[in-house]
Amino acid sequence: MKTPVADYLAHVLKQCKQNDQGALADYIPELASADPNKLALALSTIDGTSYATGDKDTEFTIQSMSKPFAYALALKHLGLESVLKKVGVEPSGEAFNQISLDAKNKIPKNPMINSGAITTHSLIHAEAGADRAETLRVFLSELAGRELEFDEQVYRSELETAFRNLSIGYMLRTVGVLDEDPVAIVHGYIKQCAIKVTVKDLAQMAGVLANGGVQAKTGKRLLSRVVVRQVLSVMMTCGMYDAAGDWLTTVGIPAKSGVAGGIIGVLPGQIGIAVFSPKLDEHGNSVRGIEIMERLSNDMGLHLMEGTPSAQTIVQRRYVVAETDGNNQTVVYELRGVLQFTESEMLLRILEDEPEGDTRIILDLTNISLLHDVGARMLFEGVNRLIEDGHTAVILDAEGILTEAQCKGRKTSVVTEPLDRYLEKQLKI
Ligand code: GLN
């Protein structure tokens, strides 16, 4: 059997190809000569599987889709508190290149508009000898899983007409948000926008954000969960500039667009999506890109506000082990999926039904894919209460999903060997 997902994506692309509205960005001369017919779509799941269709190998410049990743790098090096002193998190409701500051704090309103992105660029920590755009290029290459390059032509072309971004740079220097030469920073920012990518690269990058900061193919954690949460929140509220509210209600996926015609979308815990089609609407967002994202969101039920009920599936199986341990019964709760608040609440409610007594209860985490801190706390609390009721209760963590911090001081309730070996020993089977 061949999965129909690839065919479905090709079908969506074909239908949206008919839409010929919009115009190429022409304030960057080189972008005005792009092929307006190019169209591509890629999707990456959190286990690293990718699908791509259309002009999937065509390279184009990342432009403003670099902004969330530059923000992530700044957060990674400086921490949230320091970054918030320089760039806010409020949607501006203004065009991406508005020369503006937050009226009260006198800092850029958010990192997705140019004033915030130029400031964020200045916060990237570059290794000695490397420039900030280069630091970002190296980071994006790691996210994409291949070596990315700059498009020198687009870079030089934008430099020639960068009057507006330079005005923003001088304005930021005047109010003290920038404390270095604004021209060098604006040039660096423009270079960051000129990194060449394909939709496949972008879907991989978006996939890392969807996967909580871990690049699924290499298994390497590239960003912390806290940083990813911050970046996605800002993408959700500010990523589509003055169309952000419309986007949130119709598509409902944190996203970021770029003037070369790309859009990335990230559905936390599920998928990363990337589309490419160069003709833009009046907000600077790809016309066909928006249509494709709307289609995908509706057809596949991806709107974030629809939620995904997962609590009901937390207990995969409850069974009594046949061999007895003296007069005691041994009961195994085979858990699966993600253990967050709602799942833990349901699990503890199910455990409430265990009658008081001296049953040996094993909570088996082998099939748990993600264990949040709140899940761990509630799990240990459940074990304590079962013990208070007279049971013997343990958490079986054969795959080592509990972190050191999560089981600090509670190691005695944790078994780290496989279930059969543990049962053999305990029950002397
Ligand atoms: N380099 C572009 C600029 O600064 C990026 C804008 C965008 O993609 N929206 O104007």
Side-chain angles (χ1 to χ4, degrees):
M1 196 222 55
K2 210 169 138 252
T3 160
V5 174
D7 301 336
Y8 164 70
L9 296 179
H11 174 71
V12 171
L13 212 64
K14 204 168 148 200
Q15 290 208 321
C16 296
K17 204 173 175 104
Q18 285 145 21
N19 187 345
D20 196 31
Q21 284 165 15
L24 293 172
D26 55 6
Y27 75 98
I28 301 173
E30 192 63 25
L31 292 186
S33 61
D35 178 352
N37 299 315
K38 292 281 184 207
L39 181 60
L41 165 61
L43 197 144
S44 168
T45 64
I46 56 162
D47 62 6
T49 305
S50 343
Y51 300 91
T53 183
D55 299 303
K56 53 183 195 268
D57 296 312
T58 301
E59 290 190 314
F60 52 96
T61 47
I62 189 167
Q63 297 298 340
S64 284
M65 292 177 291
S66 63
K67 292 171 181 174
F69 300 104
Y71 187 50
L73 264 194
L75 289 167
K76 187 173 170 174
H77 291 300
L78 290 179
L80 181 58
E81 217 177 304
S82 304
V83 174
L84 283 178
K85 284 191 186 134
K86 292 281 187 182
V87 190
V89 288
E90 295 303 333
S92 68
E94 295 166 347
F96 70 88
N97 56 4
Q98 191 77 24
I99 305 177
S100 67
L101 288 175
D102 182 78
K104 195 164 136 242
N105 303 320
K106 304 282 182 275
I107 57 172
K109 287 202 178 108
N110 69 66
M112 300 294 119
I113 52 172
N114 286 13
S115 58
I118 290 168
T119 307
T120 305
H121 179 84
S122 78
L123 303 178
I124 295 175
H125 170 81
E127 301 298 331
D131 64 27
R132 295 178 174 116
E134 172 61 13
T135 304
L136 186 66
R137 187 199 63 77
V138 170
F139 178 58
L140 291 182
S141 300
E142 227 179 335
L143 290 167
R146 76 165 183 119
E147 203 58 27
L148 303 174
E149 290 171 6
F150 292 106
D151 187 323
E152 294 292 338
Q153 240 165 310
V154 171
Y155 170 51
R156 276 196 298 275
S157 173
E158 187 168 352
L159 282 187
E160 277 165 31
T161 55
F163 312 116
R164 205 175 172 98
N165 280 332
L166 284 167
S167 317
I168 295 175
Y170 280 115
M171 182 261 306
L172 293 168
R173 181 70 184 92
T174 308
V175 295
V177 170
L178 293 183
D179 39 29
E180 294 171 35
D181 172 20
V183 176
I185 291 172
V186 169
H187 285 196
Y189 158 75
I190 290 172
K191 195 168 176 193
Q192 123 180 3
C193 291
I195 294 170
K196 275 189 292 188
V197 286
T198 65
V199 282
K200 292 192 284 188
D201 299 325
L202 289 171
Q204 283 293 317
M205 296 175 192
V208 175
L209 296 179
N211 197 25
V214 174
Q215 156 62 270
K217 282 193 176 151
T218 57
K220 211 166 148 189
R221 174 164 290 285
L222 301 175
L223 291 168
S224 72
R225 285 197 161 270
V226 183
V227 166
V228 171
R229 190 180 75 179
Q230 181 72 12
V231 171
L232 292 181
S233 305
V234 173
M235 281 170 73
M236 185 83 260
T237 51
C238 316
M240 299 303 274
Y241 311 123
D242 38 344
D246 190 23
W247 180 268
L248 173 54
T249 50
T250 53
V251 181
I253 298 174
K256 185 74 211 80
S257 61
V259 284
I263 304 180
I264 53 167
V266 178
L267 200 63
Q270 298 195 48
I271 48 172
I273 311 171
V275 288
F276 169 57
S277 173
K279 283 189 166 182
L280 310 178
D281 67 8
E282 69 276 21
H283 305 289
N285 300 327
S286 166
V287 173
R288 284 171 174 167
I290 292 174
E291 194 181 326
I292 294 170
M293 294 289 252
E294 271 178 14
R295 278 284 307 264
L296 297 181
S297 173
N298 286 328
D299 292 356
M300 303 201 282
L302 301 181
H303 198 296
L304 205 60
M305 300 308 163
E306 282 186 23
T308 350
S310 63
Q312 280 82 351
T313 57
I314 186 66
V315 177
Q316 179 161 282
R317 207 152 66 102
R318 174 194 182 276
Y319 60 92
V320 178
V321 178
E323 289 77 6
T324 51
D325 174 16
N327 289 327
N328 295 350
Q329 221 188 19
T330 296
V331 176
V332 178
Y333 280 84
E334 211 174 277
L335 310 178
R336 78 178 275 190
V338 174
L339 199 56
Q340 230 171 332
F341 173 75
T342 41
E343 296 81 16
S344 314
E345 185 276 336
M346 166 143 300
L347 171 65
L348 297 184
R349 198 148 29 94
I350 294 171
L351 288 172
E352 248 182 6
D353 291 340
E354 280 294 335
E356 274 182 40
D358 53 1
T359 311
R360 177 189 302 278
I361 296 170
I362 302 170
L363 302 173
D364 183 3
L365 302 187
T366 311
N367 293 322
I368 288 289
S369 53
L370 188 64
L371 183 58
H372 281 266
D373 287 348
V374 61
R377 284 202 305 274
M378 290 173 76
L379 205 59
F380 280 112
E381 186 54 30
V383 166
N384 286 347
R385 289 181 181 217
L386 287 170
I387 293 171
E388 273 167 28
D389 285 352
H391 298 292
T392 305
V394 290
I395 296 169
L396 191 121
D397 182 25
E399 297 289 321
I401 194 160
L402 279 163
T403 63
E404 273 293 315
Q406 285 171 342
C407 47
K408 200 166 172 218
R410 297 146 155 174
K411 284 236 167 77
T412 47
S413 344
V414 181
V415 172
T416 53
E417 56 199 347
L419 182 61
D420 47 0
R421 201 168 318 143
Y422 175 69
L423 287 175
E424 249 170 58
K425 270 205 228 152
Q426 295 302 316
L427 310 181
K428 316 212 172 35
I429 296 172

